[in-house]
Amino acid sequence: MDSIFNRFYSVLLSIYIYNEYVGYTELDKLHAAIINKYPQESEFIASVRKHADDEKKHYLMFKNYFHKNKSMPFVVTKNYGYIDLFIKHIFKTDLQTLDQNELINDEKKFMNLCRLIMMTEFRGMKQVKTLLNSPLIKRNESLTKIFKVVERDEPSHCYPYQYWLKKFNSHEPRLKEKLVDLWIHYSLMLFKVPILLLNGKLKRMKEFYV
Ligand SMILES: [Fe+2]
Ligand SMILES: [Fe+2]
């Protein structure tokens, strides 16, 4: 029975660690682009910095969990990355090729990006609440501790982007973005996560991202 639980934890955390890693590395790039374009916006810059630092902290907490359990995360592709999928559906491009310096110079696209980050964070907040209420997580003390830190940090992550959208009188997420969010969420929950759980040939990473 324990091995079934451990398999579930490994799959769940492999998805989390990928998303936290992509999150903080992309936010680092966004932070640099904002400093370039809006050097006077110190509050916005500081809150994006705090956001990137929090995501890196989450990454390190999950990495530490694997270390303690003497195992490695499964190899998870960008098909499991929330923000990767959002960028793919809305911008029709790959997150890795997205030029944040170029994007910040296009107001419409930058507002779009702010909305996507905001929605990713809203989804993250809902997800962590669901996990903390789940008996699968409740029975694991160290994971509960980690997810409580994530739960505490998450709400502040939406603020910088909400602030920016308000500042420029831009709208909040609309139907298309909400539908994409639901599609990404349910395709992960109903198909992609079960596929990982059942795939006996899934490879472990050889080393951590950093
Ligand atoms: Fe996070
Ligand atoms: Fe977050």
Side-chain angles (χ1 to χ4, degrees):
M1 195 65 183
D2 263 4
S3 69
I4 296 175
F5 287 120
N6 287 334
R7 171 89 189 174
F8 170 76
Y9 298 141
S10 271
V11 165
L12 176 72
L13 298 197
S14 301
I15 298 172
Y16 259 90
I17 206 167
Y18 173 83
N19 277 275
E20 303 291 2
Y21 173 72
V22 170
Y24 87 77
T25 47
E26 290 302 320
L27 285 168
D28 276 347
K29 291 183 206 163
L30 180 65
H31 179 253
I34 297 170
I35 292 176
N36 239 335
K37 172 82 177 170
Y38 301 105
Q40 72 289 0
E41 288 286 343
S42 48
E43 206 178 314
F44 187 41
I45 292 168
S47 52
V48 173
R49 180 71 265 145
K50 152 96 171 58
H51 183 191
D53 290 345
D54 276 357
E55 304 301 4
K56 184 166 190 180
K57 179 177 79 183
H58 300 167
Y59 169 77
L60 293 172
M61 289 191 305
F62 291 121
K63 181 180 173 183
N64 195 29
Y65 179 90
F66 280 104
H67 263 313
K68 276 192 184 154
N69 287 284
K70 297 187 175 42
S71 76
M72 289 296 287
F74 289 119
V75 174
V76 165
T77 66
K78 60 188 176 189
N79 289 330
Y80 290 81
Y82 218 90
I83 196 75
D84 295 81
L85 293 164
F86 242 143
I87 298 290
K88 185 179 134 196
H89 287 293
I90 302 290
F91 287 105
K92 311 282 177 225
T93 184
D94 201 287
L95 175 61
Q96 299 309 317
T97 57
L98 197 74
D99 183 338
Q100 310 233 25
N101 276 305
E102 192 189 305
L103 193 140
I104 205 167
N105 285 308
D106 181 328
E107 198 178 298
K108 200 172 158 229
K109 280 189 182 167
F110 187 52
M111 295 301 164
N112 253 335
L113 181 68
C114 287
R115 275 188 287 277
L116 297 196
I117 301 175
M118 224 174 80
M119 293 185 79
T120 303
E121 294 300 331
F122 281 140
R123 179 58 66 192
M125 270 157 60
K126 280 189 204 160
Q127 195 55 49
V128 79
K129 277 199 170 49
T130 307
L131 287 171
L132 281 167
N133 284 326
S134 141
L136 285 165
I137 299 298
K138 279 185 178 162
R139 70 193 294 284
N140 184 323
E141 210 183 312
S142 55
L143 267 189
T144 300
K145 267 190 202 157
I146 293 177
F147 281 119
K148 282 204 167 148
V149 175
V150 176
E151 185 191 36
R152 193 194 60 209
D153 291 341
E154 283 309 88
S156 73
H157 295 170
C158 310
Y159 300 152
Y161 316 100
Q162 252 169 343
Y163 155 81
W164 200 253
L165 290 169
K166 270 208 186 98
K167 185 179 166 100
F168 288 91
N169 290 320
S170 192
H171 65 85
E172 294 251 329
R174 285 191 172 146
L175 186 64
K176 183 183 175 191
E177 288 147 329
K178 288 180 183 169
L179 288 176
V180 170
D181 171 54
L182 287 173
W183 167 252
I184 297 172
H185 176 67
Y186 285 105
S187 59
L188 274 166
M189 292 302 119
L190 300 176
F191 306 110
K192 293 182 181 178
V193 175
I195 285 171
L196 288 190
L197 284 168
L198 296 172
N199 181 358
K201 290 184 179 154
L202 214 53
K203 298 238 179 332
R204 300 263 180 185
M205 287 166 66
K206 295 225 168 13
E207 53 188 39
F208 285 98
Y209 299 106
V210 282

